Amino acid sequence: MRLSYLLCALLAFTSIFSQEKTYQAVNLNPLLTKDANAVVRLDEMKIEVLSNHSMVYEVKQVVTVLNKMGNSYSNTQLNYDKEKKIKSIEAFIYDKNGKEIKRIKRKDFQDLSAADGFSLYRDDRLLYYNYIPIQYPYTLVFNYEVETSDTGFFPPWYFIYGYGVSVEKSYYGVNYSNASLAPDIKEYNLAGFDFKKTNAPGKIVYEAENIPAFKHEQLSPNFADIAPRLKVRLKNFSLKGIEANVTDWNDLGAWIDGHLLKGRDELSMETKRIVQDLVKGVDDTLERAKIIYNYVQENTRYISVQIGIGGWQPISAIEVDKVKYGDCKGLSNYTKALLNEVGVEAYYTVVHAGNGKFDFDKDFPVLQGNHVILAIPYQDDYYWIDCTSQVQPFGFIGDFTDDRNVLVVKPGGGEIVKTIAYLNEENKQSTTASYSLSSQGAINAKVKIETKGVQYDRRFYLEDETNEDVVKHYKNYWSTINNLNIDSFEFTNDKEGISFQENVVLNAKSYGTLSQERMIFVLNAFNRSDYIPKRYRVRKRPFEISRGYEDTDVYDVKIPKGYKVEAMPEATTIASEFGSYSMSVKVIDGETLQYRRTFSLKSGLYAPNKYNDYREFRKNIAKLEKSRVALVKNIRQD
């Protein structure tokens, strides 16, 4: 009996000692700590596909956090809903020596509504524990098991979480009970990546070890575009109890049309009469569409509604019409119903929205997307409208949904289409100004700025801002002008031509610098581009210019009486594969200079060995942007 007790005690001690050794942070592999804020010791997911409407997965994540910047990788939260149930959840915290300092049981997690601040209804819940570290490094172990009937959203897999984190061991395994439940898996960015793959009947496993951290470099592409990852799907799946069989995007579109949209486009007789009256006498379908879009903007507002299937299925058009609000799905479906009533064809379109461009993979149909817009066919082209915006012009979607593959849902099927792209010179800003300098160096100016394309998208909001916020905007935009005062401003928003015009009157003291008989000032007062990319001794990864644009500037500068030009910059032109830049200044008469500038930047993905060329291009431009004119007092000799 005593021997048995001693044996149990010895086994328990050995287990604790082994565990402490496992979670020690003091002897980590230098390969994994280089450029890392956190080291993922173990990232393990084991999935059991029981049927096309039942799936269980177990997850174990062990992360050693090296510093404050690594805290974002220490996950202690998990979403759930009626279909996704958390069977178990726990976490442990270990110090740098691998000694347990905290155990977090299920009852310690906060159970919160997963409200996002703009959803009226949402039934998602969140189990969350807020751990505040008191020392670094520390190690977090997070274990949980989930059972779900939603098999349409199959857990994807990233072998590495993001920039600044390395991985000691990664394991992703899928077991399935019969061949019909075998998932489709598409591999991304695995070339040159060391991993082990096992593909046997009823089982697929991916394993990898000792993955160094990806060091973030300025202008890096979206992490998903370069990260080693897997996208996984079931052809036969279930979403909120609705089953689907999807082999291609046409099938997925047909499923959305036949199950999520069917019967949700009914309108009241009163609403039908109203919209018919609105378009009376208008024959052109595009003009009818503009009228209906304007009606929706004036009579509805956006608010998220996500209950059950509501994350994918719109509330009915008749309900939106009644309450006068809806989410992107509801408002798009409602607008589509109104357009259909007046003889305008429109297609419900699923998109992954965001300022970065996220494409749907043409070869891998899977439930995805976070937003819905409409596509209106007209003369062999599409007009795209975002029905959630009460201010955007018809046919303008901005950088939130432009230039990306989306799923256009047509009657009976779906199709991948690329949305409109606002490219390079289409994103135009034209600045014209006249400014004068006093003999004390003060500046008085009238400035007109006209923007189009994505640059329009970043400016037109000003017309709805308070006076105080507008003044703050200009003081920030023209931060190189000290003691700036905004005397007046007015805006013209041409929604038909999709251009925004700003007219601003301003003044500031001491723009020109006085030195004895001279005054020196920078010619480019209102649109300096002085950005210089960070220098790298060796650039490792490609870099991306995500948005191209073209800026043109013409300033008439009146110099103070009693002064003449002593020195001014020569006309300069720079041509590069990344764009072009030109600058010139000439004397119009004895009192006026005219400054002209054009800067065009091209979007694109470029090889690492071109980074220094791009940096030199921007460095030369930044220098020219500060070109100065020297004035000297004009002293007559009698």
Side-chain angles (χ1 to χ4, degrees):
M1 189 75 172
R2 184 176 178 183
L3 180 63
S4 176
Y5 174 81
L6 288 172
L7 181 61
C8 288
L10 180 62
L11 288 173
F13 175 78
T14 302
S15 176
I16 293 170
F17 179 78
S18 175
Q19 186 163 277
E20 286 191 2
K21 186 176 180 181
T22 299
Y23 298 141
Q24 281 182 354
V26 291
N27 295 316
L28 283 168
N29 186 342
L31 172 73
L32 299 178
T33 56
K34 183 182 179 182
D35 300 324
N37 299 309
V39 179
V40 176
R41 315 293 295 278
L42 175 64
D43 191 13
E44 181 179 81
M45 177 175 281
K46 297 178 179 179
I47 302 169
E48 293 279 348
V49 183
L50 305 175
S51 70
N52 64 348
H53 52 77
S54 180
M55 179 168 61
V56 176
Y57 52 94
E58 296 180 50
V59 175
K60 183 171 186 177
Q61 297 169 334
V62 182
V63 181
T64 295
V65 178
L66 304 178
N67 53 51
K68 287 183 179 180
M69 293 180 66
N71 282 328
S72 59
Y73 299 113
S74 59
N75 179 41
T76 50
Q77 65 181 45
L78 187 61
N79 287 85
Y80 72 96
D81 57 25
K82 291 179 180 178
E83 287 73 31
K84 179 182 177 182
K85 303 183 186 303
I86 300 173
K87 298 182 70 176
S88 65
I89 184 172
E90 65 177 356
F92 300 86
I93 309 295
Y94 298 88
D95 69 10
K96 65 180 181 180
N97 296 311
K99 181 179 179 181
E100 182 183 314
I101 56 177
K102 193 171 190 65
R103 182 183 180 187
I104 305 161
K105 300 179 181 179
R106 180 167 186 148
K107 65 182 179 61
D108 300 319
F109 285 81
Q110 290 182 277
D111 194 341
L112 308 171
S113 170
D116 49 22
F118 53 83
S119 295
L120 181 62
Y121 305 117
R122 187 167 182 170
D123 62 355
D124 286 1
R125 304 286 302 177
L126 175 71
L127 283 185
Y128 173 73
Y129 184 85
N130 183 27
Y131 175 68
I132 301 175
I134 57 175
Q135 60 180 343
Y136 295 94
Y138 69 91
T139 297
L140 169 73
V141 178
F142 187 39
N143 302 319
Y144 60 87
E145 183 178 2
V146 168
E147 182 178 33
T148 181
S149 60
D150 277 348
T151 55
F153 296 106
F154 208 96
W157 191 250
Y158 279 72
F159 288 92
I160 189 165
Y161 290 5
Y163 293 109
V165 58
S166 60
V167 178
E168 193 168 25
K169 185 173 182 180
S170 176
Y171 180 97
Y172 184 77
V174 182
N175 290 332
Y176 49 93
S177 56
N178 62 71
S180 68
L181 298 174
D184 287 342
I185 299 180
K186 185 164 184 179
E187 302 170 352
Y188 295 84
N189 306 313
L190 296 192
F193 175 69
D194 190 17
F195 68 97
K196 179 184 176 183
K197 178 181 177 180
T198 303
N199 196 341
K203 186 175 186 178
I204 301 173
V205 174
Y206 284 82
E207 297 175 272
E209 293 184 352
N210 297 323
I211 309 170
F214 284 31
K215 184 178 180 180
H216 184 267
E217 297 172 312
Q218 215 170 67
L219 301 175
S220 291
N222 288 328
F223 186 75
D225 293 337
I226 63 173
R229 60 189 177 94
L230 307 174
K231 191 176 283 188
V232 190
R233 75 181 190 101
L234 293 181
K235 290 181 180 177
N236 302 308
F237 63 83
S238 175
L239 178 67
K240 309 300 181 187
I242 302 177
E243 297 197 359
N245 185 306
V246 172
T247 58
D248 55 29
W249 286 109
N250 184 68
D251 289 344
L252 185 55
W255 179 77
I256 292 173
D257 183 59
H259 289 86
L260 305 187
L261 303 183
K262 187 176 181 180
R264 309 192 75 78
D265 57 354
E266 294 182 8
L267 296 168
S268 69
M269 293 304 297
E270 175 63 14
T271 297
K272 290 181 179 182
R273 182 190 63 77
I274 290 172
V275 295
Q276 288 288 357
D277 287 344
L278 286 173
V279 300
K280 190 173 294 184
V282 179
D283 296 325
D284 184 78
T285 55
L286 190 65
E287 293 304 314
R288 288 185 171 207
K290 291 178 181 179
I291 292 170
I292 296 301
Y293 181 68
N294 183 65
Y295 173 80
V296 172
Q297 285 187 314
E298 291 182 349
N299 290 277
T300 63
R301 61 191 175 93
Y302 171 79
I303 190 164
S304 181
V305 181
Q306 298 185 43
I307 290 185
I309 194 67
W312 273 82
Q313 185 176 60
I315 59 175
S316 67
I318 203 164
E319 182 68 16
V320 173
D321 195 38
K322 178 182 177 181
V323 298
K324 304 303 180 188
Y325 61 72
D327 61 9
C328 62
K329 303 177 297 297
L331 292 173
S332 294
N333 180 66
Y334 173 61
T335 306
K336 178 177 176 289
L338 296 178
L339 290 169
N340 182 65
E341 179 60 29
V342 299
V344 178
E345 191 171 26
Y347 302 135
Y348 188 89
T349 300
V350 184
V351 56
H352 195 123
N355 292 333
K357 299 174 184 178
F358 302 92
D359 273 322
F360 286 6
D361 188 330
K362 290 183 178 181
D363 302 321
F364 201 78
V366 63
L367 279 175
Q368 59 186 296
N370 59 4
H371 193 50
V372 172
I373 58 178
L374 287 186
I376 299 174
Y378 184 78
Q379 295 182 354
D380 300 322
D381 204 353
Y382 283 118
Y383 279 77
W384 307 91
I385 58 173
D386 190 327
C387 304
T388 64
S389 173
Q390 293 176 296
V391 294
Q392 277 187 323
F394 177 89
F396 180 76
I397 52 176
D399 62 6
F400 194 54
T401 52
D402 79 316
D403 195 22
R404 66 202 72 192
N405 288 334
V406 299
L407 175 61
V408 175
V409 178
K410 298 181 177 181
E415 179 185 3
I416 295 295
V417 178
K418 186 171 280 288
T419 57
I420 187 173
Y422 304 108
L423 301 175
N424 301 329
E425 66 276 359
E426 295 178 83
N427 303 317
K428 191 174 183 64
Q429 176 174 298
S430 173
T431 305
T432 57
S434 60
Y435 69 88
S436 62
L437 292 165
S438 73
S439 57
Q440 287 77 41
I443 185 175
N444 287 273
K446 292 181 178 179
V447 186
K448 182 175 78 172
I449 304 171
E450 185 174 1
T451 47
K452 294 187 176 184
V454 169
Q455 300 222 56
Y456 166 89
D457 200 23
R458 296 171 183 171
R459 310 286 287 211
F460 81 96
Y461 74 91
L462 287 171
E463 68 174 342
D464 295 319
E465 296 290 296
T466 65
N467 287 358
E468 182 181 0
D469 286 338
V470 170
V471 170
K472 284 181 181 179
H473 162 78
Y474 285 122
K475 287 190 174 184
N476 180 63
Y477 181 58
W478 290 316
S479 60
T480 54
I481 304 176
N482 295 324
N483 308 307
L484 178 65
N485 295 306
I486 304 300
D487 297 324
S488 66
F489 55 84
E490 62 179 12
F491 306 127
T492 302
N493 190 357
D494 178 5
K495 291 191 174 184
E496 188 67 27
I498 311 181
S499 69
F500 188 67
Q501 184 174 301
E502 307 161 53
N503 289 280
V504 186
V505 179
L506 60 90
N507 72 84
K509 296 178 181 179
S510 304
Y511 183 74
T513 302
L514 299 175
S515 177
Q516 297 179 348
E517 304 297 315
R518 289 174 172 80
M519 181 188 299
I520 299 173
F521 68 96
V522 177
L523 274 164
N524 188 352
F526 305 115
N527 191 20
R528 292 187 208 171
S529 182
D530 55 6
Y531 165 71
I532 301 175
K534 184 178 178 181
R535 181 177 178 272
Y536 295 98
R537 191 179 298 275
V538 179
R539 175 81 187 198
K540 293 184 178 180
R541 305 192 185 282
F543 67 99
E544 183 174 28
I545 303 171
S546 59
R547 296 283 174 187
Y549 59 85
E550 181 178 272
D551 285 1
T552 60
D553 304 82
V554 180
Y555 308 156
D556 288 334
V557 185
K558 190 172 183 180
I559 65 177
K561 289 184 179 181
Y563 280 83
K564 65 178 181 180
V565 175
E566 181 182 44
M568 65 183 190
E570 294 182 357
T572 305
T573 298
I574 302 174
S576 165
E577 65 176 304
F578 312 110
S580 62
Y581 179 90
S582 65
M583 180 273 293
S584 67
V585 57
K586 65 180 180 179
V587 180
I588 301 296
D589 53 43
E591 296 181 347
T592 306
L593 306 177
Q594 188 173 82
Y595 170 76
R596 289 182 175 272
R597 167 192 179 272
T598 301
F599 178 25
S600 297
L601 187 66
K602 296 179 182 178
S603 61
L605 184 66
Y606 299 92
N609 62 2
K610 293 186 177 182
Y611 182 81
N612 286 338
D613 293 337
Y614 178 63
R615 185 175 184 276
E616 194 65 22
F617 173 64
R618 296 304 299 258
K619 186 177 178 181
N620 290 334
I621 290 171
K623 183 178 179 181
L624 291 169
E625 294 286 76
K626 299 174 183 177
S627 296
R628 299 170 183 266
V629 168
L631 305 178
V632 64
K633 284 187 177 179
N634 187 8
I635 303 174
R636 293 184 178 180
Q637 299 291 331
D638 293 330

